[in-house]
Amino acid sequence: MPHSTRTVDWPPLLLAARFQFELVTRGQCLRAGMSVEQIRHCLRTRRWVRVASGVYQTAPGKSGWEVDAAAALLAVTGRGPTDLRSDKGRLQSPPVALFGTAAARAWEMPGVARAPIQLAISAPRTITPVKGAALRRIGRWDERVDPLTFPWRTTKASTVIDCAAGSEPDGALAWLALAVQKRLVPVETLEAELAKRTRLRHGALMREAMADVTSGAHSAAEVRYVRDVERAHRLPTAIRQSASRVNGGSVHDNDYADFGVVIEVDGRLGHEEWASRIKDGRRDRRLGGAGRFTNRVFWPDVAVTVCATAAEVGALLRARGWTGRPMTCGRPGCATELAATAAWVSG
């Protein structure tokens, strides 16, 4: 901080900069006793750098996504985390927060290395737009925003649901599965947040899928297998994520134990590497030596040709002792495709 003969209360300003990635706002400077001319002097001499309207970097050269996000928040409010305590010492809710994938990036959620800056504001609030940042109005502000973190952001549960709602259907399922598998949010908290969002894009799909996700379906592909292949076509119900009998520590996606059949779902994540495929092949051979048959289905099998996949799995289970038959799911052409595929498999 620059030297001046004017009486400036430096400790609060230094503290603010410390919590704000070395950023300070014009308002914070003025409240600390700096004059407008002192601020201008810092900028003219390049001791500070203006990074947003009314926001200055006191450590030129310090940059990064977090700095950009913090600068956007500070530009909206002119205040930082050290300014949010009321006269009675209570912590106030921040007036703006990171939203969607920006909040996910701030929480360091897997798969979100960088994200565009999206800001949430409370529904009745009006603010001046910030260059390079998208704005979104949200309700239930005090419930959905975490006031204890900076850059301010929506809570983890709200962030997961927001990201899911902003994705395509498969992406929505993947967000829920990721949250459960990586334990980003307690399941009960996630379900409670989802229950409160009655008007939500993909809401019905997410609520339907949550039961499958929490029972052990760890990817959108696995959820689709359970919902669209197995359940929709009245196949037997497999044991999800059952412990392997031949490879300690590993689990099987779908174990039809009564028929000695295991169906593994190789989705988009976790099975692309060559080493993983070799490991999977070895496990399959060991399982076969123990009298159990392993089959693998892939993303197109559970997202595009679900009826054919159901017919093939049904034929496999019948060959291993199941006395039932796959039923039509009601999709156009399902019964014809099932019959044709079953005939092809048996022939």
Side-chain angles (χ1 to χ4, degrees), residues 73 94-99 118-121 141 145-146 151-154:
L73 295 171
V96 65
L98 296 177
F99 175 83
Q118 297 173 284
L119 303 180
I121 59 175
W141 184 261
V145 173
D146 189 326
W152 300 309
R153 65 204 73 164
T154 50

Side-chain angles (χ1 to χ4, degrees), residues 140-154:
R140 297 175 39 242
W141 184 261
D142 289 340
E143 292 183 54
R144 292 179 60 182
V145 173
D146 189 326
L148 301 178
T149 56
F150 189 81
W152 300 309
R153 65 204 73 164
T154 50

Side-chain angles (χ1 to χ4, degrees), residues 167-175 177 218-224 265-273 277 297-300 302-303:
S167 305
E168 294 304 311
D170 293 338
L173 297 176
W175 269 105
H218 286 170
S219 72
E222 291 178 46
V223 171
R224 279 186 172 269
V265 182
D266 287 5
R268 292 173 293 182
L269 300 176
H271 295 277
E272 293 86 351
E273 296 183 0
R277 290 186 177 276
V297 297
F298 302 89
W299 190 251
V302 298

Side-chain angles (χ1 to χ4, degrees), residues 82-106:
T82 58
D83 303 315
L84 289 185
R85 293 198 177 275
S86 66
D87 295 337
K88 296 182 180 180
R90 295 179 180 177
L91 185 64
Q92 300 173 333
S93 294
V96 65
L98 296 177
F99 175 83
T101 55
R105 171 64 180 81

Side-chain angles (χ1 to χ4, degrees), residues 46-318:
R46 298 185 181 277
R47 295 182 181 180
W48 293 359
V49 176
R50 181 183 286 106
V51 294
S53 178
V55 181
Y56 316 117
Q57 176 55 264
T58 65
K62 187 177 182 64
S63 60
W65 187 89
E66 291 83 359
V67 174
D68 295 341
L73 295 171
L74 295 173
V76 170
T77 65
R79 293 176 176 271
T82 58
D83 303 315
L84 289 185
R85 293 198 177 275
S86 66
D87 295 337
K88 296 182 180 180
R90 295 179 180 177
L91 185 64
Q92 300 173 333
S93 294
V96 65
L98 296 177
F99 175 83
T101 55
R105 171 64 180 81
W107 284 120
E108 298 183 345
M109 292 183 178
V112 190
R114 192 170 177 85
I117 305 299
Q118 297 173 284
L119 303 180
I121 59 175
S122 60
R125 188 179 181 86
T126 301
I127 67 170
T128 302
V130 178
K131 183 178 180 180
L135 294 179
R136 176 70 175 268
R137 299 181 185 277
I138 66 173
R140 297 175 39 242
W141 184 261
D142 289 340
E143 292 183 54
R144 292 179 60 182
V145 173
D146 189 326
L148 301 178
T149 56
F150 189 81
W152 300 309
R153 65 204 73 164
T154 50
T155 64
K156 288 184 179 181
S158 184
T159 297
V160 169
I161 300 300
D162 292 334
C163 289
S167 305
E168 294 304 311
D170 293 338
L173 297 176
W175 269 105
L176 295 182
L178 175 69
V180 174
Q181 182 181 13
K182 298 296 184 180
R183 299 181 180 180
L184 303 180
V185 187
V187 172
E188 297 79 8
T189 304
L190 195 63
E191 290 178 324
E193 177 63 26
L194 185 58
K196 294 176 182 178
R197 309 280 282 275
T198 55
R199 299 179 62 183
L200 181 70
R201 185 169 181 252
H202 308 317
L205 173 62
M206 286 190 275
R207 278 182 276 272
E208 176 189 355
M210 270 303 292
D212 292 330
V213 171
T214 55
S215 68
H218 286 170
S219 72
E222 291 178 46
V223 171
R224 279 186 172 269
Y225 176 84
V226 173
R227 186 192 66 200
D228 298 338
V229 176
E230 183 187 274
R231 185 176 299 163
H233 295 90
R234 305 294 195 276
L235 297 176
T237 300
I239 301 170
R240 315 292 176 212
Q241 306 300 308
S242 67
S244 175
R245 302 178 184 178
V246 298
N247 192 8
S250 65
V251 295
H252 301 305
D253 296 334
N254 303 280
D255 186 357
Y256 297 93
D258 291 342
F259 310 106
V261 173
V262 171
I263 301 294
E264 302 285 9
V265 182
D266 287 5
R268 292 173 293 182
L269 300 176
H271 295 277
E272 293 86 351
E273 296 183 0
W274 180 252
S276 295
R277 290 186 177 276
I278 293 176
K279 182 179 179 181
D280 289 341
R282 289 172 178 167
R283 184 174 68 170
D284 294 348
R285 291 192 294 274
R286 291 178 189 140
L287 207 60
R292 306 177 75 212
F293 183 85
T294 302
N295 190 268
R296 295 182 178 273
V297 297
F298 302 89
W299 190 251
D301 301 322
V302 298
V304 181
T305 58
V306 294
C307 299
T309 301
E312 293 161 1
V313 173
L316 175 59
L317 291 172
R318 283 177 58 80

